[in-house]
Amino acid sequence: MRAQDAFRVEGVVTEVCSERTCRVRLANGHVVFGFVPVRQSGQARLLVGRKVNLQLSPYDLSEGRILVEAHSN
């Protein structure tokens, strides 16, 4: 997948599955699986209720890469 094919959305963490994975609820109500890439794993803290930015592929809308954390609640 090319970077220009992906799009970014903001969501809220609803469930932390592990240190690098979580469930994220988008503004439209859909819940997707979010993951932190290995190279950013030391920078991200996944907490329930935290807003995160996701990069979604147009080919698979069920999971997304957590890019950076948006402002927290």
Side-chain angles (χ1 to χ4, degrees):
M1 176 187 71
R2 297 180 308 196
Q4 62 264 27
D5 291 340
F7 56 95
R8 293 181 182 191
V9 295
E10 188 175 283
V12 178
V13 175
T14 58
E15 175 188 356
V16 177
C17 300
S18 73
E19 188 175 304
R20 293 183 37 231
T21 60
C22 64
R23 300 272 181 209
V24 179
R25 181 174 306 278
L26 305 179
N28 62 4
H30 290 281
V31 177
V32 298
F33 184 76
F35 64 92
V36 177
V38 173
R39 64 178 177 224
Q40 293 179 348
S41 62
Q43 301 169 0
R45 282 188 57 200
L46 299 176
L47 300 171
V48 174
R50 179 152 297 181
K51 291 184 180 179
V52 293
N53 292 320
L54 293 168
Q55 181 180 25
L56 296 175
S57 165
Y59 307 109
D60 183 8
L61 299 175
S62 66
E63 65 179 32
R65 178 183 300 141
I66 297 176
L67 298 174
V68 293
E69 293 183 353
H71 57 284
S72 61
N73 291 341

